[in-house]
Amino acid sequence: MILRRLSEQVKAQNWFAVGLDFLIVVGGVFIGIQVSNWNEARGDRAQEAVYLSYLADDLRNDIDEIDYVISLTQWRMSALAAVITQATGEPMPTVRATPRGDAPIGTVPAYEEKEPPSVVMAMSLMATFDSADLAYTTLVSTGGIRLLRNQQLARRLQGYDAAVRDLQRIESRLTVYRDELTGALQRAGVAWIDPLSVDEVAEAARNHPELLAAMKNFWSFNDWHLGTLATIRARAAELQATTDREASQ
């Protein structure tokens, strides 16, 4: 309709009408593009809010899981320390050697012996951190990470994901030390299910240097694990607060 009118106006050399119709056409196209862009932006913001909400939920789950792993690691360290101290008659070291120099060893609650005794189980029982990373993995694999307007947050999420992978590598090595302890316990005639007291396991360690060495190695590596868990938890809590805040804006 407009094109036919333009053609008639050009033939009639009605340039004012031609210019007016041309502006109407261009303006209509421009407005249509702007409305489309606005609708797309609204859709992106809505999708971003959904992703941020999912990320916050995953981080909350991570924090809960980390708290559980920390509590179990502290229990394990305290049981190992109780037996090692009893076996050697010496206090536990307060620092451990690292490639960057001595690092302070964290403190854990003292081991409380229960009835029936369960110190062998306490020394050996272990849980690892799996991480609820479905939302972040989906963001990366689908390209949804581009929807996050806060690119600093995107980089921090990437850093957190890398830190979790480092923690899981530490836990793989920790599992090796736990298996070595299990083997040393068996060679000393001790099983996980044996209801032995701290004094009884300490006596076995005194008579089996391999067992005592395995307990010391495992105890030291548990401290590294515990420190890494605390660092990851702090990052998860900060990211969870940020994603919650961004999702509500």
Side-chain angles (χ1 to χ4, degrees):
M1 178 77 70
I2 291 179
L3 290 176
R4 186 172 61 187
R5 191 166 66 243
L6 276 172
S7 176
E8 293 173 353
Q9 290 165 350
V10 168
K11 290 178 182 178
Q13 296 188 353
N14 187 352
W15 302 117
F16 175 78
V18 168
L20 184 60
D21 283 344
F22 179 77
L23 288 175
I24 291 172
V25 172
V26 172
V29 172
F30 176 77
I31 292 172
I33 292 173
Q34 289 299 105
V35 169
S36 176
N37 290 341
W38 180 70
N39 285 333
E40 183 179 356
R42 281 188 63 192
D44 286 349
R45 297 293 71 80
Q47 189 62 53
E48 179 195 31
V50 171
Y51 279 137
L52 288 168
S53 177
Y54 288 162
L55 284 166
D57 286 343
D58 279 359
L59 288 163
R60 270 187 286 273
N61 290 332
D62 276 3
I63 292 168
D64 289 343
E65 185 181 0
I66 291 170
D67 285 342
Y68 171 70
V69 177
I70 284 176
S71 67
L72 197 59
T73 303
Q74 288 177 332
W75 187 48
R76 191 167 58 244
M77 274 192 73
S78 68
L80 286 163
V83 174
I84 293 169
T85 301
Q86 186 71 12
T88 62
E90 299 175 355
M92 299 301 294
T94 57
V95 297
R96 58 179 171 81
T98 74
R100 298 180 180 178
D102 288 345
I105 291 175
T107 58
V108 297
Y111 179 72
E112 295 182 5
E113 197 154 30
K114 302 175 182 179
E115 291 293 341
S118 59
V119 70
V120 183
M121 181 67 73
M123 290 192 320
S124 308
L125 196 60
M126 200 175 112
T128 56
F129 176 55
D130 295 326
S131 181
D133 62 352
L134 179 60
Y136 180 76
T137 301
T138 302
L139 268 178
V140 173
S141 63
T142 62
I145 197 77
R146 66 176 180 79
L147 295 177
L148 300 185
R149 288 169 292 176
N150 186 342
Q151 283 301 297
Q152 183 182 13
L153 172 60
R155 288 191 294 272
R156 286 164 56 200
L157 288 166
Q158 184 180 29
Y160 173 75
D161 183 68
V164 168
R165 303 292 163 255
D166 287 340
L167 171 61
Q168 290 170 339
R169 283 189 284 271
I170 290 172
E171 290 181 335
S172 294
R173 293 178 62 187
L174 184 65
T175 302
V176 172
Y177 279 106
R178 195 277 304 274
D179 292 344
E180 290 177 354
L181 173 61
T182 300
L185 284 165
Q186 290 174 345
R187 286 186 287 276
V190 178
W192 276 21
I193 62 173
D194 289 343
L196 301 178
S197 67
V198 170
D199 287 344
E200 289 172 314
V201 179
E203 181 64 23
R206 277 193 291 268
N207 294 326
H208 296 84
E210 179 197 5
L211 174 56
L212 183 59
M215 286 192 290
K216 288 181 177 180
N217 286 338
F218 193 39
W219 176 83
S220 178
F221 210 88
N222 269 282
D223 177 68
W224 187 12
H225 183 221
L226 196 58
T228 307
L229 283 166
T231 300
I232 295 290
R233 191 198 187 284
R235 294 180 73 166
E238 183 183 6
L239 283 169
Q240 182 257 312
T242 302
T243 50
D244 266 338
R245 184 172 61 251
E246 295 273 334
S248 64
Q249 290 179 353

